[in-house]
């Protein structure tokens, strides 16, 4: 059995925030925002750019490109963010309805910015274990930029958070673009380092919390987290990439294109250098920022549009998410 990518879809809001605006709000020089943080501009949500709705628009894009009937979709997996139109709400069922996937069943998954990699691995496993599942749609949106306070220096590494939607349509025994193997690592020692400190059962939301701007992402121990993360993060990026390739019977020398999340430019370049890759074998998302788990889909789609990926190429998607999670999956394109 093989599982192939039939199409991808992307939705990017038209509203943008520039490096100059981030600099003004954060009191950080614009050249630091642009050169060190790697943000020239980023999409932010407009009036109608709700989380699940952006995922629906991206899914419609993928369905249109694939030229399939939504009724042929067997499973809809929502792999967007928890921050969405309503709390305590199953987004995938809404997406199923909006898309007309009346013969599908649906569920949500979540692994922060590592969700797309995990959802691809899960979808492949579902297809392998159930003969009735032939077509799976992964789709979701992201707008955690809503939780960023640019006056809080503890969250500076998240000033790149942006907004958008992404989708991937998969089919069993599709004749190209085959998913190979994935590798995922989680490290719970970081599980409570980055949180929205109010609004949960430990600290229910109060009017004072809202007035004091506490309903935002925050870092409890920024110095300690930085020290601990620096010891692990980049090495774990490399580990999941190499393990995904090894499980697929490949090595880093086989990579043709690496679809990475947005991170500071020095880290992006470090990963490429360690793998022996050239700048043109990845796309730095300086005009998009970090759209969470959508980054890998966006990078893949941009590379295809720019002709950077060809038949027979080995493409690896890599992600990292707060918590912490690192994940990679390899694809044989064409």
């Amino acid at each position: 059995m093989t599982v192939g990518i039939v199409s991808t879809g992307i939705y990017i809001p038209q509203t943008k925030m520039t490096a100059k605006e981030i600099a003004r709000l954060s009191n950080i020089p614009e050249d630091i925002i642009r050169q060190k943080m790697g943000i020239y501009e980023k999409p932010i949500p407009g009036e109608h750019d709700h989380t699940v709705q952006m995922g629906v628009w991206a899914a419609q894009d993928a369905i249109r490109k694939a030229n399939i009937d939504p009724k042929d979709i067997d499973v809809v997996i929502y792999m967007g963010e928890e921050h969405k139109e309503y709390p305590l709400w199953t987004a995938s069922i809404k997406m199923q309805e909006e898309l007309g996937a009346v013969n599908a069943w649906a569920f949500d998954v979540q692994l922060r910015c590592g969700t797309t990699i995990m959802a691809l691995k899960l979808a492949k496993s579902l297809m392998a274990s159930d003969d009735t599942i032939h077509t799976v749609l992964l789709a979701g949106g992201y707008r955690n930029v809503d939780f960023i306070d640019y006056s809080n220096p503890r969250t500076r590494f998240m000033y790149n958070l942006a907004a958008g939607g992404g989708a991937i349509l998969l089919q069993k025994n599709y004749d190209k673009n085959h998913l190979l193997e994935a590798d995922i690592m989680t490290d719970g020692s970081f599980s409570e380092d980055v949180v929205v400190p109010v609004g949960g059962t430990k600290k229910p939301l109060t009017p004072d919390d809202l007035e004091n701007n506490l309903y935002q992402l925050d870092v409890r121990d920024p110095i300690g987290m930085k020290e601990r993360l620096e010891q692990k993060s980049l090495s774990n990026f490399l580990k999941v990439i190499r393990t995904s390739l090894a499980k697929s019977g490949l090595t880093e020398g086989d990579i043709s294109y690496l679809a990475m999340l947005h991170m500071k430019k020095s880290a992006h370049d470090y990963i490429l250098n360690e793998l022996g890759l050239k700048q043109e074998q990845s796309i730095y998302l300086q005009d998009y920022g970090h759209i969470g788990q959508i980054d890998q889909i966006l990078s893949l789609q941009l590379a295809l549009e720019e002709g950077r990926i060809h038949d027979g190429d080995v493409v690896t998607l890599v992600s990292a998410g707060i918590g912490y999670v690192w994940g990679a999956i390899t694809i044989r394109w064409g």
Side-chain angles (χ1 to χ4, degrees):
M1 184 210 75
T2 60
V3 174
I5 296 176
V6 182
S7 63
T8 61
I10 286 290
Y11 172 80
I12 300 295
Q14 293 184 350
T15 308
K16 310 292 183 184
M17 175 181 277
T18 65
K20 185 175 183 178
E21 291 175 277
I22 297 172
R24 177 178 57 82
L25 292 169
S26 64
N27 200 30
I28 296 172
E30 184 179 348
D31 67 314
I32 297 297
I33 302 292
R34 294 172 67 90
Q35 303 306 321
K36 187 171 182 179
M37 296 185 179
I39 311 165
Y40 286 21
E41 66 175 19
K42 64 179 186 176
I44 58 174
E47 180 183 359
H48 303 293
D49 294 324
H50 300 292
T51 311
V52 177
Q53 185 60 59
M54 289 189 288
V56 168
W57 289 329
Q60 289 171 337
D61 183 36
I63 290 168
R64 175 185 57 79
K65 289 177 184 174
N67 193 29
I68 70 162
D69 187 333
K71 294 177 183 177
D72 292 333
I73 297 171
D74 299 304
V75 178
V76 175
I77 302 176
Y78 174 77
M79 49 73 172
E81 264 299 334
E82 291 181 60
H83 172 55
K84 50 189 184 290
E85 283 84 332
Y86 313 102
L88 305 177
W89 185 50
T90 306
S92 57
I93 298 175
K94 172 63 174 176
M95 295 187 75
Q96 173 195 0
E97 172 67 15
E98 288 291 311
L99 297 169
V102 295
N103 295 317
W105 56 278
F107 64 96
D108 297 5
V109 294
Q110 182 49 245
L111 195 58
R112 296 276 73 80
C113 301
T115 309
T116 293
I117 306 297
M118 180 265 284
L120 286 167
K121 179 177 175 63
L122 178 60
K124 184 179 178 182
S125 298
L126 281 173
M127 290 182 177
S129 65
D130 190 330
D131 291 339
T132 68
I133 299 176
H134 298 278
T135 303
V136 177
L137 173 69
L138 280 59
Y142 183 95
R143 53 175 289 173
N144 285 5
V145 61
D146 294 344
F147 290 95
I148 295 301
D149 176 1
Y150 296 95
S151 67
N152 180 359
R154 294 187 298 276
T155 60
R156 184 175 298 181
F157 70 99
M158 293 186 283
Y159 289 176
N160 63 345
L161 296 194
I168 299 180
L169 192 64
L170 303 171
Q171 283 188 344
K172 184 186 293 184
N173 295 325
Y174 190 60
D175 61 1
K176 54 187 177 181
N177 312 332
H178 292 156
L179 296 185
L180 300 180
E181 298 304 320
D183 189 59
I184 297 172
M185 298 173 60
T186 57
D187 186 338
S189 67
F190 298 95
S191 65
E192 292 185 308
D193 278 312
V194 183
V195 295
V196 177
V198 300
T201 58
K202 279 192 172 183
K203 181 68 170 67
L205 190 63
T206 67
D208 284 344
D209 293 334
L210 290 174
E211 185 176 342
N212 293 315
N213 207 29
L214 296 181
Y215 194 60
Q216 303 282 350
L217 281 163
D218 204 357
V219 181
R220 294 178 166 182
D221 177 18
I223 295 174
M225 177 184 165
K226 186 174 186 292
E227 290 174 350
R228 286 179 284 118
L229 196 57
E230 283 179 345
Q231 297 172 14
K232 298 182 178 182
S233 188
L234 292 178
S235 62
N236 284 350
F237 267 111
L238 293 167
K239 184 175 181 181
V240 294
I241 291 168
R242 288 166 172 155
T243 305
S244 168
L245 288 162
K247 288 180 178 179
S248 304
L250 301 164
T251 69
E252 59 200 74
D254 295 310
I255 299 176
S256 300
Y257 184 81
L258 185 66
M260 276 196 279
L261 75 163
H262 182 273
M263 60 181 85
K264 63 182 182 179
K265 188 63 165 64
S266 60
H268 177 95
D269 291 345
Y270 175 84
I271 297 294
L272 292 182
N273 290 335
E274 287 294 304
L275 295 171
L277 299 176
K278 300 175 182 177
Q279 288 291 328
E280 56 266 28
Q281 290 179 278
S282 189
I283 293 176
Y284 189 63
L285 302 174
Q286 62 194 24
D287 296 319
Y288 298 92
H290 180 36
I291 314 177
Q293 51 268 60
I294 309 304
D295 282 7
Q296 294 78 35
I297 307 172
L298 174 60
S299 182
L300 175 63
Q301 183 163 307
L302 289 173
L304 290 168
E305 291 170 357
E306 295 178 14
R308 300 196 191 199
I309 298 174
H310 307 93
D311 282 354
D313 280 353
V314 171
V315 178
T316 298
L317 317 185
V318 62
S319 66
I322 295 297
Y324 244 84
V325 55
W326 296 265
I329 191 166
T330 298
I331 303 161
R332 172 74 72 178
W333 200 261

